[in-house]
Amino acid sequence: MEANANAVDHMSMWSLISNASLVVQLVMLTLVAASVMSWVMIFQRSNFLRSAKRALDSFEERFWSGIDLSKLYRQAGSNPDPDSGLEQIFRAGFKEFSRLRQQPGMDPDAVMDGVARAMRVAISREEEKLEQSLPFLATVGSTSPYIGLFGTVWGIMNSFRGLAQVQQATLATVAPGIAEALIATAIGLFAAIPAVIAYNRFSARGEMLISRYYTFADEFQAILHRKVHSSEE
């Protein structure tokens, strides 16, 4: 009974990790750190995208409620919402529109070109916000299995080197080394799978928001186009 208990204890997860070679332990530590950082970024990105979607819907509702654009611009300037990418795009476009219209002799088409450029810059800034942390998640998702596999190969290689030094090789002799090596692959998959799922999900949600930003920019430009040309008549 005592021998069986010692064998079970020797094959426990913590015992396998603590008895692993230094290289395998470093691989495991690297993968655990990458996994922890991935989960932190996943929660941060999830909250940010949720807030951005909520702010987008809220501002679109205000914009299409029939409110005067000048009044909406003043409201957005006095109480800006940092999570609302749509609000930033609106402010950039309307600010440039108002500035160019105040210049005497400004051609309406030149006004609209300036508005389009200002909103493109604002959209690019919002794209950068939406894409934050995605490269890290992509890197973790693509490299973690290979890092874990490296730890596994190294651990198994050490196990076979140890076998060469014993007279009689048994399963009990080989099992601990192979088991501790396979833990590295398991940790690598544990780090990679959530990162890949999060990357795909956040990329899709980000593309959806960016698509709505461009749609709003086109609709807003159409409204300003009618406004600037009607004032010239």
Side-chain angles (χ1 to χ4, degrees):
M1 288 293 292
E2 184 177 351
N4 290 336
N6 290 334
V8 172
D9 183 68
H10 186 63
M11 290 295 293
S12 66
M13 188 71 69
W14 175 250
S15 177
L16 291 173
I17 293 174
S18 61
N19 292 326
S21 65
L22 179 61
V23 173
V24 176
Q25 288 180 341
L26 288 176
V27 167
M28 293 178 183
L29 182 61
T30 301
L31 292 172
V32 169
S35 179
V36 171
M37 292 179 65
S38 295
W39 278 107
V40 170
M41 292 182 179
I42 287 171
F43 284 116
Q44 289 177 344
R45 286 287 90 192
S46 181
N47 291 332
F48 174 79
L49 289 171
R50 192 179 301 110
S51 299
K53 173 65 166 54
R54 185 165 54 245
L56 186 152
D57 293 336
S58 175
F59 187 81
E60 265 197 338
E61 184 177 351
R62 290 165 60 197
F63 181 83
W64 295 110
S65 65
I67 187 174
D68 181 71
L69 295 181
S70 299
K71 182 179 179 181
L72 180 60
Y73 177 76
R74 290 192 297 271
Q75 289 180 356
S78 61
N79 187 25
D81 184 357
D83 293 330
S84 179
L86 210 60
E87 182 180 299
Q88 308 303 323
I89 297 167
F90 166 78
R91 290 177 61 193
F94 195 80
K95 180 180 180 180
E96 187 69 6
F97 178 78
S98 301
R99 186 183 70 82
L100 293 177
R101 283 193 69 191
Q102 291 174 1
Q103 298 181 10
M106 180 62 68
D107 182 70
D109 291 335
V111 173
M112 294 310 304
D113 287 341
V115 170
R117 284 193 300 271
M119 287 199 288
R120 279 199 301 270
V121 171
I123 291 175
S124 296
R125 290 173 179 164
E126 296 306 316
E127 284 184 291
E128 291 178 1
K129 293 180 183 178
L130 293 172
E131 292 173 358
Q132 285 181 1
S133 302
L134 290 185
F136 179 82
L137 292 176
T139 300
V140 171
S142 60
T143 61
S144 291
Y146 297 104
I147 296 174
L149 183 61
F150 168 76
T152 297
V153 171
W154 187 274
I156 292 177
M157 182 177 65
N158 283 340
S159 296
F160 281 111
R161 287 174 59 189
L163 285 177
Q165 301 174 4
V166 298
Q167 296 294 328
Q168 184 177 3
T170 63
L171 183 60
T173 307
V174 182
I178 295 179
E180 71 186 28
L182 291 175
I183 292 175
T185 297
I187 297 176
L189 294 175
F190 178 79
I193 292 173
V196 171
I197 294 174
Y199 174 83
N200 291 331
R201 180 174 176 81
F202 294 158
S203 295
R205 291 173 66 181
E207 289 175 3
M208 181 271 294
L209 291 173
I210 292 170
S211 176
R212 291 184 63 178
Y213 290 161
Y214 276 108
T215 300
F216 172 82
D218 291 340
E219 293 171 338
F220 187 37
Q221 286 184 65
I223 293 173
L224 295 180
H225 186 273
R226 292 192 298 267
K227 191 178 182 68
V228 73
H229 281 81
S230 63
S231 62
E232 294 292 320
E233 297 176 356

